Amino acid sequence: MLKRRTRTLSAAAVAVVLTAGALSACGDGKDASKSTALDQTTVSGGSATEAPKVEVKPKPLKVTETQTRVLKAGDGPVVKGDEIVSLNYVLLNGKDGSQLDTNFGKQKLGLNLGDKNLLPGIKKGVANQKVGSRILVAMPPKDAFGEQGNAQIKVAKDDTVVFLFDVVSATTPLKTATGKAVTPPKNLPSVKVQDGKPATITIPKGQKPPKDTVSQLLVDGSGPKVQAGQTIRVTYTGALWKNGKVFDSSANTPQGYFETAIGQKQVITAWDKELVGKNVGSRVLLVVPPKDGYGAAGSPPKISGTDTLVFVVDILAAY
């Protein structure tokens, strides 16, 4: 309901998020202290803004199972298999050692290790490592881009790919908004939230809807601020101002939450404008006129082109 168009992925996102067929994303339990095909690969230089140089040896490098080599063991907590991790990375083709992509000097990459569409080799390599670690991960096609390869980033169907990962952080998404309660003005809708159910949104009687979007904190979270370009995990309920009828809720989805890129025109304008900059943990009340929602076309059959919308959104994670 919220998406305004099919989500597209940048080349960087393609490199790490696309599925490689119907593959399991289970950890392999490999003992990283044992000898691996990555033992001769070297890493040198680099900084917070410049990618280190990774020299793949031998070339071509081919593996039949995902292998991990720990270059530096971190001193943070161990990464679990269902957390959201923040990473810096360099991606290389094992065939010739060529660098295909990196995010050093850019926004850190956030990945949901519980995402069924994540490349299996990423979860195998990162899960059970400690935050602060630097690791090399070699992935065969079955744990990377499958039999089709990935022509966009110049990975052929038989190529092993090699990642250098710096594990920056790992967090468990919140279950509900967490922070300081904020009392909203009386001229705004009131909200009652129940776990696992659509929120109850009560429209003030006799009150005309605002002409401009209203954004009101109900809970001020203490987490990091949401940045444009991140993926956010939220729970939400949307209702119509004219009658208070709920037209959509994440509580009605199998997973019970919703994830989307934010600040990238993937959702309605009000979400992009008003959720960016809010703290993780916040509960946000949004009153959205058509111009910042679905416009004059509406979103039939539930939303007409003149409907003002009311959302309550809990921001559970941003990565």
Side-chain angles (χ1 to χ4, degrees):
M1 175 66 72
L2 286 163
K3 300 243 182 187
R4 52 161 49 171
R5 58 178 66 87
T6 301
R7 183 174 176 181
T8 57
L9 297 172
S10 66
V14 168
V16 292
V17 177
L18 284 182
T19 64
L23 296 171
S24 169
C26 299
D28 63 358
K30 182 177 291 296
D31 183 353
S33 66
K34 293 182 179 180
S35 178
T36 75
L38 292 161
D39 286 351
Q40 297 179 54
T41 295
T42 60
V43 179
S44 60
S47 66
T49 58
E50 183 179 359
K53 181 180 179 181
V54 182
E55 187 171 356
V56 175
K57 297 179 183 178
K59 292 191 285 281
L61 188 148
K62 294 184 73 70
V63 297
T64 57
E65 300 292 339
T66 293
Q67 297 188 25
T68 302
R69 176 185 167 200
V70 178
L71 301 177
K72 171 194 170 187
D75 56 7
V78 173
V79 176
K80 301 174 184 177
D82 59 352
E83 290 180 303
I84 290 172
V85 294
S86 177
L87 305 165
N88 284 325
Y89 71 91
V90 179
L91 170 62
L92 308 103
N93 193 319
K95 177 174 61 180
D96 57 10
S98 59
Q99 179 176 308
L100 305 176
D101 195 16
T102 182
N103 72 332
F104 277 83
K106 306 173 187 176
Q107 182 172 298
K108 291 180 175 59
L109 174 68
L111 291 178
N112 176 5
L113 291 184
D115 185 349
K116 65 180 181 179
N117 292 327
L118 187 67
L119 298 185
I122 293 179
K123 184 167 183 177
K124 290 180 179 183
V126 174
N128 300 316
Q129 304 296 337
K130 290 185 176 182
V131 172
S133 294
R134 169 168 285 187
I135 59 176
L136 286 167
V137 184
M139 306 175 194
K142 68 176 182 179
D143 282 351
F145 299 104
E147 295 180 356
Q148 75 278 2
N150 189 319
Q152 186 174 350
I153 57 170
K154 299 180 181 180
V155 175
K157 64 178 183 177
D158 297 323
D159 290 347
T160 289
V161 295
V162 177
F163 277 94
L164 170 75
F165 286 127
D166 282 353
V167 185
V168 179
S169 66
T171 58
T172 300
L174 299 171
K175 298 296 184 184
T176 189
T178 303
K180 183 180 179 181
V182 179
T183 302
K186 292 182 178 180
N187 64 339
L188 292 180
S190 62
V191 174
K192 183 178 180 181
V193 176
Q194 293 178 283
D195 289 344
K197 297 181 180 180
T200 300
I201 298 174
T202 303
I203 309 301
K205 292 182 179 181
Q207 187 77 31
K208 291 184 178 180
K211 294 181 179 180
D212 297 316
T213 293
V214 174
S215 175
Q216 172 65 46
L217 282 173
L218 301 179
V219 175
D220 189 2
S222 58
K225 290 186 181 300
V226 174
Q227 301 176 43
Q230 288 187 308
T231 293
I232 58 171
R233 178 182 294 191
V234 301
T235 55
Y236 73 90
T237 297
L240 301 176
W241 179 283
K242 65 185 178 185
N243 57 18
K245 185 176 180 179
V246 171
F247 61 83
D248 194 16
S249 177
S250 59
N252 297 329
T253 65
Q255 67 271 24
Y257 59 80
F258 174 67
E259 291 191 339
T260 184
I262 197 69
Q264 300 292 298
K265 298 184 179 180
Q266 303 300 310
V267 288
I268 60 174
T269 299
W271 277 47
D272 272 347
K273 287 183 176 179
E274 303 300 341
L275 297 184
V276 170
K278 296 294 191 296
N279 295 335
V280 172
S282 294
R283 175 171 295 153
V284 186
L285 176 67
L286 296 175
V287 182
V288 183
K291 65 180 181 179
D292 288 340
Y294 296 100
S299 183
K302 296 181 178 180
I303 301 171
S304 76
T306 59
D307 278 332
T308 292
L309 312 177
V310 182
F311 290 96
V312 58
V313 183
D314 284 12
I315 305 174
L316 307 179
Y319 60 96

